[in-house]
Amino acid sequence: MTEPPSLAGAVPQGKVQVNAPGAGGVVNAVQDGVLNVHQWKPAYRIEDFPTEPRPVRPARVRAQPSLLLRAGSQVVPFTGRQEDLRTLTGWRDDEAAPGLGVRLLHGPGGQGKTRLAARFAELSRQAGWRVWQASTNPPGAVRASAVAGADARGAGLLLVVDYAERWPVPALYELLQEPVLRAGRVRVLLLARPAGVWWDSIAAWAERVLDIDADAQALPPLVAEPAMRQRLFAEARDHFAAALALPAEKAATIAPPAGLADDAEYAQVLTVHIAALAAVDAHRHGEEEPGDPARASAYLLRREREHWAELHRRLPEPLVSDPVTMGRAVFTATFTRSLARPDARRALRHADLAETVERANTLLDDHAYCYPPAQAGTVLEPLYPDRLAEDFAALAIPDPAVAGLAGDDWAGHALSGLLSDPAGQGGQGQVPPWIRPALTMLIETARRWPHVAATQLYPLLATRPELMLYAGGATLARLVGLPGIEPTLLQHIEAHLPAGRHIDLDIGTAALSTRLTAHRLATTTDPAEHAALHSGHAVRLANAGQHRPALEASRQAVTLYRELAGLNRDACLPYLAMSLTNHALLLAEMGRRAEAIEVSEQAVALHRELAGLDRDAHLPNLTTALNNHATRLAEMGRRAEAVEMSEQAVALYGELAERNRHAYLPDLVMSLHNHALRLAEMGRRAEAVEFSEQAVPLRRQLADLNRDAFLPDLAMSLNNHAIWLAKVGRRAEAVEVSKEAVALRRELAGLNRDAFLRDLAMPLGNHANRLMEMRRWAEAVEVSEEAVALCRELTELNRDAFLRDLAMSLSNHALLLAGVERRAEAVPISEQAVALFEESARFNRDAYLPELATSLNNHLLRLAEVGRWAETVPISEQAVALRRELVELDRDAHLPDLALSLSNHAALLAEVGRRPEAVVVSEQAVALRRELAELNRDAHLPDYVQSLVVRGWTLSEARQYGDAVRPLAEALAAGQELPEFARELLHDAVAVLREAHQRSPAEVDAAFETVTGRTFTEWISEAG
């Protein structure tokens, strides 16, 4: 008996990329203990959450009572907040969220967020959770050695992130994708003052990228009721008295301030604590207790100054720095936050405090004695808590309206110096690391102290609006929210912001656009201006990831432009066309693809009309609309139409590039690349190679001009070009091109591993496929093993995002192992691939169904190769069923795969003795592949010939020898047109005919003569 024909479809699942349209160190010491650092990166570190309060030495706190206010000291026991804790516990223990959960806990400064988080951390640890914290690293901070991650997380892992709004947005995104947060149940609790636009954008990103629902929990005032304020004051007073060695009977005589019950300032827990601490310490010193929040802060700050004076006067080792100089250093630290010593010296020079290195080092050492750094390798530790630091800064800045608040006239000049020329001469310098925190602190201080806004913040930004380029999106959003800020100043700042996308500023720019759009809409009744405002606002919102409100703004713009075009078509048509183009993109982004196509069609039609009226003016927009529309059509499976649109876009981009090569060459290359993809999707592989061959040299030119900007695109084009070369049988060329693509990806990953690791893993897998096609099995296996290892690493970083890549690489690796006769090893690896694709399909069936079907097809091949035939049939039936389902959804896209599965299923049925069924199924496969070959003979002829061979074999196995002759003879005839790489199918056809002839010579000879005019005996004798 002959061997069954080779099962088809052991196709490597390669990936094509598409252009979008249009070291060791010091572990942080905390007092007498050590925090284990579980991850260290230049931007941040992840370490154990402290288990014990930070100890306070009696002598030290008597000199600096403000130390008792630090959240880490926990001098006053945590109280209340039971409902808030229950809410957090419910979120933490939610059984419906077994993986990553993210929540924002937000409220004004002094509300008690940090204390609540510490209490929740303590309770979580008692419940069996590991508790970590994440903090940003000052630039130049000493690298910390990371210990191993959590070996046993118990119930789960809680990560607390304080001051989340001060993180650079890219760093926060990177943190939420950390590999150490990818095992088991993980809860990330972000603490921040604001929510609003900043949080809306972060939450939208988390939903889109991490596929999780990130939510927010507002922290209400704890001391809203007068009775609660009285109780909190008394409790804080008694504990502070104990810490300061004031007898309890004396402490009991200290009355609360007169305004405690009704002053809104006392709604914050911290304000009550400041009042209690100031009253206790004043009582100790026989002074009058401060009567309001401002005086309480001023009292504690005066005690700080007295401490500096004592240190300056002490013998035998006085501090060199006098109280005025120390106060100025504290003021500077308030705005710069902790810095590495070289940066701190620069900051002191900018603040006009130290002209020489020696003077700067002396001042930094004196300051560190008073305010020891919390992190190794840093200086200029700020005054805590932040609210007290803000008060210190505000009281240092003169207020012209208050005669008694003289302040220090140096302070304003110091701020101006610290925030001068942030980008250096001509914008080429390095931005000082204190610019961002200084702006953040200045804005937060101005929120509570109007004279700081009026005398410092607003004049500074009016003179240097470009400063907000370096503030970060959250800080920009906080600035926008300042109650008294004038729209004129915001407009001045807006003019200096990037016109396009900026990952760190987009959130703030969206907030700015929201504020200014509302202002501008209210100041005009012109419908054209309203339409333009909505249109521009939609772009800003979309850039910040707020696609739903962006879509609504875009809808309003389209509606208004339609009305305007109805009144004055000539004047308003360009604006309507552009608004439709943008609206289609937003609809597609929201998954509303059918609507997107309708709108995109309208946009193309209008742009065509405009180009007909003035080709030079409107050709660029028409080309963009065509390119985008081709993408929309391809997304909906309308591939023939997509090719037509893409072809037009290529032609027009070519025309534009002839006029202005520098401006339009990147767009032309992108269109060539995408058109090759559209052609390949249609099976027009030879044409795809032609366009790809045009794109690759042009991308080489661009990379020669600007390697940093265009190297990733060149690597992508090479990767795809190799795939398409292989598809047309130019396999030796494909290997060399693929090799170059891998080399470029290695170069990019060497520069930025986090950014380009996935882009290296994908070409490695594809290169292994190319090597396999050239029968270079050993090399292919080695490359494939590296690809699998990288995909496993990526999956540990972000399982949801990279599970598909891992599954694909495992499926391909199993194929390669089978190719080097390691078939027993191949089966479990292939089984893993199927399981991973099944997991992905459970979450998103539509997206992963095609790949699941392919992985099932490939897995049954692995089973067949080790003789486990009985197991293959149920898997084959499942693959056929899935592909029938896919054909119902999109016949053009999935018909080739269904035909492949039917052909394989027929061969398997025959192999296990279910021969009548095999005959029926093989006939279905032949019919589908004949249909495909009639549509595109070049693309589908090898598959058609293969299905004819399978049908002949199944008929022969069913002892229908004469019937088997016709499909086999047809295969031999058609096979003369096969490309060289597919000629082995002819040998399969001849082998099946020989076997049938041996079994029934007369029947086969007669049937062969009927079809060809001579007997098989004669034909095979002549053929030799």
Side-chain angles (χ1 to χ4, degrees), residues 12-14 764-774 780 812 816:
Q13 293 174 282
L764 278 169
N766 290 346
H767 187 50
N769 298 338
R770 304 291 78 80
L771 291 166
M772 176 199 66
E773 290 162 350
M774 291 296 292
N812 292 351
L816 288 167

Side-chain angles (χ1 to χ4, degrees), residues 382-404:
L383 180 65
Y384 289 109
D386 280 352
R387 191 177 182 87
L388 192 63
E390 292 166 10
D391 292 344
F392 178 86
L395 293 170
I397 295 170
D399 184 356
V402 180

Side-chain angles (χ1 to χ4, degrees), residues 679-928:
L679 290 165
E681 290 169 344
M682 286 289 292
R684 294 162 60 178
R685 295 164 182 164
E687 296 172 80
V689 169
E690 291 178 13
F691 281 92
S692 183
E693 285 176 333
Q694 296 177 50
V696 167
L698 293 177
R699 281 210 156 136
R700 288 193 194 280
Q701 290 180 24
L702 290 169
D704 288 341
L705 293 171
N706 189 336
R707 190 169 180 83
D708 291 341
F710 293 107
L711 195 62
D713 290 341
L714 174 59
M716 175 178 62
S717 283
L718 289 167
N719 175 76
N720 292 358
H721 189 50
I723 292 174
W724 293 324
L725 285 169
K727 293 289 186 182
V728 296
R730 294 165 59 179
R731 293 176 174 174
E733 296 175 71
V735 167
E736 294 306 311
V737 173
S738 178
K739 181 179 179 181
E740 184 182 0
V742 169
L744 293 183
R745 291 298 189 193
R746 287 194 192 281
E747 179 181 340
L748 290 164
L751 296 171
N752 189 336
R753 181 175 173 82
D754 291 341
F756 292 105
L757 189 60
R758 183 184 191 182
D759 291 336
L760 172 59
M762 181 192 67
L764 278 169
N766 290 346
H767 187 50
N769 298 338
R770 304 291 78 80
L771 291 166
M772 176 199 66
E773 290 162 350
M774 291 296 292
R775 303 296 190 265
R776 292 163 61 175
W777 296 101
E779 295 173 74
V781 169
E782 183 178 351
V783 173
S784 179
E785 285 174 344
E786 184 180 0
V788 169
L790 291 182
C791 286
R792 289 194 190 279
E793 181 179 343
L794 286 163
T795 305
E796 290 174 358
L797 290 170
N798 188 334
R799 184 174 179 84
D800 293 341
F802 300 113
L803 196 64
R804 178 183 192 177
D805 292 350
L806 175 58
M808 192 179 294
S809 68
L810 288 168
S811 184
N812 292 351
H813 191 54
L815 172 60
L816 288 167
L817 289 173
V820 294
E821 306 299 325
R822 292 164 61 180
R823 294 172 177 170
E825 295 177 63
V827 170
I829 291 175
S830 179
E831 194 169 16
Q832 290 177 44
V834 170
L836 294 180
F837 277 123
E838 286 176 336
E839 179 182 341
S840 298
R842 281 195 296 272
F843 292 105
N844 191 337
R845 184 173 177 83
D846 292 343
Y848 294 105
L849 205 59
E851 287 160 333
L852 173 58
T854 299
S855 69
L856 288 166
N857 183 79
N858 288 353
H859 184 50
L860 66 88
L861 300 178
R862 305 289 78 79
L863 291 168
E865 287 162 351
V866 295
R868 293 163 60 176
W869 295 99
E871 297 174 63
T872 63
V873 173
I875 295 173
S876 181
E877 288 172 342
Q878 185 181 357
V880 169
L882 292 180
R883 282 179 164 162
R884 288 193 190 280
E885 180 181 341
L886 288 164
V887 167
E888 289 294 322
L889 296 171
D890 188 342
R891 182 176 174 83
D892 292 341
H894 299 292
L895 198 62
D897 292 332
L898 174 58
L900 178 147
S901 285
L902 287 169
S903 184
N904 285 353
H905 192 49
L908 292 171
L909 288 169
E911 180 65 27
V912 298
R914 294 165 58 177
R915 289 161 184 162
E917 295 173 74
V919 169
V920 173
V921 174
S922 71
E923 186 175 12
Q924 297 172 18
V926 168
L928 293 183

Side-chain angles (χ1 to χ4, degrees), residues 401-744:
V402 180
L405 190 60
D408 184 349
D409 62 358
W410 164 88
H413 298 294
L415 275 175
S416 181
L418 284 170
L419 295 171
S420 64
D421 197 18
Q425 292 295 325
Q428 300 302 310
Q430 186 176 10
V431 179
W434 61 78
I435 295 291
R436 187 188 192 107
L439 287 167
T440 299
M441 180 58 72
L442 181 56
I443 290 167
E444 292 301 330
T445 304
R447 183 173 293 275
R448 294 177 44 242
W449 293 85
H451 80 281
V452 174
T455 67
Q456 296 296 322
L457 178 62
Y458 297 157
L460 180 71
L461 293 180
T463 305
R464 303 174 194 162
E466 70 279 0
L467 280 171
M468 294 310 295
L469 287 169
Y470 314 103
T475 300
L476 176 56
R478 291 290 276 176
L479 173 73
V480 171
L482 289 180
I485 194 165
E486 290 292 333
T488 303
L489 178 57
L490 294 177
Q491 290 170 347
H492 193 40
I493 293 168
E494 181 188 47
H496 289 78
L497 296 176
R501 302 197 66 171
H502 188 291
I503 187 171
D504 197 29
L505 285 174
D506 282 340
I507 290 171
T509 305
L512 179 63
S513 179
T514 299
R515 174 82 179 268
L516 288 179
T517 298
H519 168 73
R520 288 161 174 162
L521 287 171
T523 57
T524 180
T525 58
D526 185 349
E529 290 188 29
H530 278 225
L533 288 168
H534 286 304
S535 182
H537 187 44
V539 173
R540 290 301 199 184
L541 290 170
N543 288 346
Q546 298 186 56
H547 294 106
R548 288 183 178 86
L551 188 60
E552 174 56 25
S554 177
R555 184 196 63 77
Q556 294 184 56
V558 168
T559 300
L560 288 170
Y561 278 130
R562 285 193 194 279
E563 294 173 359
L564 290 165
L567 298 171
N568 188 341
R569 185 173 177 83
D570 292 344
C572 299
L573 203 59
Y575 302 105
L576 174 58
M578 186 56 66
S579 69
L580 287 168
T581 298
N582 292 343
H583 195 53
L585 288 169
L586 286 168
L587 286 166
E589 190 71 38
M590 292 294 294
R592 295 162 61 176
R593 292 177 176 172
E595 297 172 74
I597 280 191
E598 292 181 12
V599 174
S600 183
E601 285 174 346
Q602 296 171 34
V604 168
L606 294 183
H607 282 300
R608 286 192 194 281
E609 181 179 341
L610 288 164
L613 296 171
D614 187 342
R615 185 175 178 81
D616 291 344
H618 299 290
L619 192 60
N621 288 338
L622 170 59
T623 309
T624 299
L626 288 167
N627 188 67
N628 290 352
H629 191 50
T631 302
R632 303 286 82 78
L633 290 165
E635 288 170 347
M636 292 296 290
R638 294 164 60 178
R639 292 174 176 170
E641 298 170 80
V643 166
E644 182 183 350
M645 289 293 141
S646 179
E647 188 172 28
Q648 294 177 41
V650 167
L652 294 182
Y653 273 129
E655 183 178 337
L656 289 167
E658 287 179 4
R659 299 180 187 177
N660 188 337
R661 184 176 179 83
H662 177 75
Y664 290 105
L665 186 59
D667 292 328
L668 172 60
V669 178
M670 175 268 297
S671 68
L672 289 166
H673 179 92
N674 286 356
H675 188 52
L677 177 62
R678 302 283 89 83
L679 290 165
E681 290 169 344
M682 286 289 292
R684 294 162 60 178
R685 295 164 182 164
E687 296 172 80
V689 169
E690 291 178 13
F691 281 92
S692 183
E693 285 176 333
Q694 296 177 50
V696 167
L698 293 177
R699 281 210 156 136
R700 288 193 194 280
Q701 290 180 24
L702 290 169
D704 288 341
L705 293 171
N706 189 336
R707 190 169 180 83
D708 291 341
F710 293 107
L711 195 62
D713 290 341
L714 174 59
M716 175 178 62
S717 283
L718 289 167
N719 175 76
N720 292 358
H721 189 50
I723 292 174
W724 293 324
L725 285 169
K727 293 289 186 182
V728 296
R730 294 165 59 179
R731 293 176 174 174
E733 296 175 71
V735 167
E736 294 306 311
V737 173
S738 178
K739 181 179 179 181
E740 184 182 0
V742 169
L744 293 183

Side-chain angles (χ1 to χ4, degrees), residues 113 352 789 933 988:
K113 298 181 295 296
D352 198 21
D988 290 340

